[in-house]
Amino acid sequence: MSTKSPKSDTQSRLLANSARGATFLICLQIGSRALTFVVNQILLRYLSPELLAISSQLELYAISVLYFARESLRVALQRQGGGSPEGKDAESTKNSGDKEDRGVYKHTRAEKKNNMAESYPPSLRAQEGVNLSYIAVALGPLLAFIFARLYLGNAEPAVLATPYMHRSLSLYALATTLELLIEPCFVVAQQQMLYGLRASAETSATFTRCVLTCATAIWASSSRQDLGVLPFALGQLGYALVLNMVYYSNVWSKSTKGGFSLVPRSLSSNIPSQYILSLFSRPTLTLAINLYAQSGLKHLLTQGDSLLIALFTSLSSQGVYALASNYGSLLARLLFQPIEESSRGVFGRLLSNAPASSSPMTPSSTPPAPSKTPTPAVLSAHTYLTTLLHLYSLLSLLLLTTAPTLAPLLLTSIAGPRWSHTAAGSVLSLYCYYLPLLALNGILEAFVSAVASPAQLRTQSAWMLAFSAGFAGAGYLLLRVWGLGARGLVLANAVNMGMRILWSWGFVRGFLRGEGVGLRIAESLPARGSMGLGVLVAAYLRVLQDGFQGGWMDLVKTVGVGGFYGLAL
């Protein structure tokens, strides 16, 4: 009778915890987005395309501040390595006695040898993360001020003339600064896999934001007050306050019991130069710095559509694109984003000991021949990746065949008459063809960010800079020269995403081949019969669309055909 090794048990437990965590995050996204969706339907009755465009600009401002302040640190901390989620094994209990009464943590050179989180006491690992998180807290106000000045200096006169505009921007700056205060708690929740806490915090905060935004907008309409985008700013402030309340009320007690503090504490080690200023782990901070440029370029590529459309189109076109992209990316936020976040942690823990390739991969590189026998961890990561890619391909097939016909019908039904005569329907239909690229790129880049060496991350940053230039060029041609408006921006995004996918696929394939296991496109594709049936379903829906009368029966027929194909898959 065979028995599993402790390492195999750890990997199985890790995958199980990750699957459970991904389920938590997906349920969180579904619940919060469903609530946001309902509130948005109410708000759309009170919003013009211009106001929706300005609210999208302010949302981009908040996202940018948060991303540049915390994203690279979050990724670096995720790559610290595995460790017991519960943190209660015997060795950890023994090592936790190394904490001194004065709150100064120590570890020996032997503990550092494997560069793994398992060799650290959980309290030390938590304190390292908490200390580093205060870098994001400190960056927040500075970035909020800089980005606010840049925004006001480049805003259109119509934007600046919006009622309560400056007050709304100030509230957004305050809200982002407050939201960054949860980073010490978030680090602990991430390390200990407290997905239930994250779900509780974000659900409560989202509910508060929705209620405040909706109530303020309805009150303003009933009292004939023009508040501009102030309801959105008040909602964002409420979101940040509730996040802080829930996180600190739960994590504070865990810090007391766990032997670490939610404020910075001095750290010490027998290893020279292990800590900077006796506070920050040098290896993790170095990795975060290497990730910073790469994550910044990634953010510019991800949010570049908002920048381009703000430069080259009118506020009305910006509002149409904002509506179409919000609905179009709903699936990405509900399903793809939680899976990507969870997968990044899985790849980082499973492959934390795998040596990076000696030379950075490029899209044209030929992967090396398998050079060694793959380890169980590598095989687990390969199985996890190929399974996800196959599931994504099935979902993409369903999207490509039915969503372009279904999406405009749904938009007409739920957005109200104010939007029925705009180009939002055709833009949303085109956006459905872009979603599979978004999903594939997300999982591939999650793998890259989890395993790439600092040199490879710098190479990726250089390629992303080239991709951003290509994206900007395509956007200029499609928006300014050919005047395609929001439709042109969707096409430019597809070009950009295709380039990123090619690079990431080459890297992932080369990495896995170097670890002794191959990666083939055929492993992830649906069966030929499924693809052939998809072509027939798409053709039938196109014929059906020509006879649409504009009623509910059009929607029923399309849903029926899509449901049949979904069951067939």
Side-chain angles (χ1 to χ4, degrees), residues 216-467:
T216 308
I218 293 175
W219 174 83
S221 176
S222 62
S223 60
R224 301 186 182 278
Q225 297 284 331
D226 186 1
L227 298 183
V229 291
L230 187 60
F232 292 94
L234 292 173
Q236 193 67 24
L237 181 60
Y239 176 87
L241 289 172
V242 172
L243 272 184
N244 275 272
M245 290 173 57
V246 177
Y247 266 110
Y248 277 97
S249 63
N250 284 272
V251 179
W252 194 272
S253 60
K254 294 183 180 297
S255 68
T256 303
K257 296 177 182 178
F260 61 92
S261 174
L262 290 179
V263 297
R265 279 186 176 180
S266 296
L267 303 169
S268 65
S269 170
N270 293 331
I271 302 173
S273 304
Q274 171 68 18
Y275 295 112
I276 298 174
L277 302 177
S278 298
L279 291 172
F280 308 119
S281 169
R282 184 179 297 274
T284 308
L285 184 57
T286 300
L287 177 60
I289 292 172
N290 280 291
L291 286 165
Y292 197 85
Q294 185 262 350
S295 61
L297 285 173
K298 181 179 177 181
H299 178 68
L300 291 177
L301 286 173
T302 303
Q303 302 295 335
D305 53 354
S306 301
L307 298 174
L308 282 179
I309 200 167
L311 288 173
F312 296 142
T313 62
S314 64
L315 276 179
S316 179
S317 294
Q318 292 176 46
V320 167
Y321 179 77
L323 179 68
S325 63
N326 282 338
Y327 282 124
S329 61
L330 194 61
L331 181 63
R333 295 194 299 268
L334 288 175
L335 182 63
F336 301 147
Q337 182 179 336
I339 292 177
E340 177 184 342
E341 181 179 342
S342 178
S343 299
R344 187 168 60 192
V346 171
F347 294 138
R349 289 178 171 88
L350 287 175
L351 303 174
S352 58
N353 276 346
S357 173
S358 59
S359 60
M361 291 293 296
T362 67
S364 60
S365 299
T366 301
S371 57
K372 58 183 179 182
T373 302
T375 64
V378 170
L379 290 175
S380 295
H382 175 266
T383 301
Y384 183 90
L385 176 64
T386 53
T387 302
L388 268 184
L389 292 177
H390 182 68
L391 292 174
Y392 274 15
S393 69
L394 291 175
L395 182 59
S396 297
L397 194 57
L398 182 62
L399 282 173
L400 292 173
T401 53
T402 61
T405 303
L406 181 62
L409 296 175
L410 289 173
L411 182 65
T412 302
S413 302
I414 61 181
R418 184 191 291 266
W419 297 89
S420 60
H421 301 295
T422 67
S426 62
V427 175
L428 181 58
S429 181
L430 184 61
Y431 201 95
C432 294
Y433 293 102
Y434 168 66
L435 280 176
L437 297 177
L438 196 64
L440 177 58
N441 179 73
I443 192 65
L444 291 177
E445 287 196 349
F447 190 103
V448 174
S449 65
V451 305
S453 67
Q456 290 168 334
L457 289 172
R458 288 191 291 270
T459 299
Q460 185 188 25
S461 297
W463 277 102
M464 281 195 169
L465 186 60
F467 299 157

Side-chain angles (χ1 to χ4, degrees), residues 6 8-18 20 83-86:
S8 177
D9 289 337
T10 299
Q11 290 163 4
S12 300
R13 188 167 63 250
L14 170 62
L15 291 174
N17 286 333
S18 175
R20 186 164 58 249
S84 169
E86 296 80 19

Side-chain angles (χ1 to χ4, degrees), residues 126-142:
Q127 193 64 53
E128 286 183 351
V130 168
N131 286 3
L132 284 166
S133 69
Y134 276 90
I135 296 177
V137 175
L139 285 174
L142 177 63

Side-chain angles (χ1 to χ4, degrees), residues 98-175:
D98 290 340
K99 180 171 67 86
E100 292 187 346
D101 293 337
R102 293 187 303 273
V104 179
Y105 295 85
K106 295 184 177 182
H107 58 82
T108 66
R109 186 180 300 272
E111 288 174 326
K112 180 65 182 175
K113 183 178 180 181
N114 293 324
N115 195 28
M116 292 283 291
E118 289 94 330
S119 63
Y120 290 118
S123 56
L124 173 59
R125 184 166 177 252
Q127 193 64 53
E128 286 183 351
V130 168
N131 286 3
L132 284 166
S133 69
Y134 276 90
I135 296 177
V137 175
L139 285 174
L142 177 63
L143 291 173
F145 174 78
I146 292 174
F147 287 172
R149 298 296 298 177
L150 289 173
Y151 177 68
L152 292 175
N154 294 277
E156 298 180 20
V159 173
L160 298 176
T162 303
Y164 299 98
M165 182 62 206
H166 286 79
R167 188 170 299 177
S168 299
L169 181 59
S170 299
L171 287 177
Y172 263 92
L174 176 61

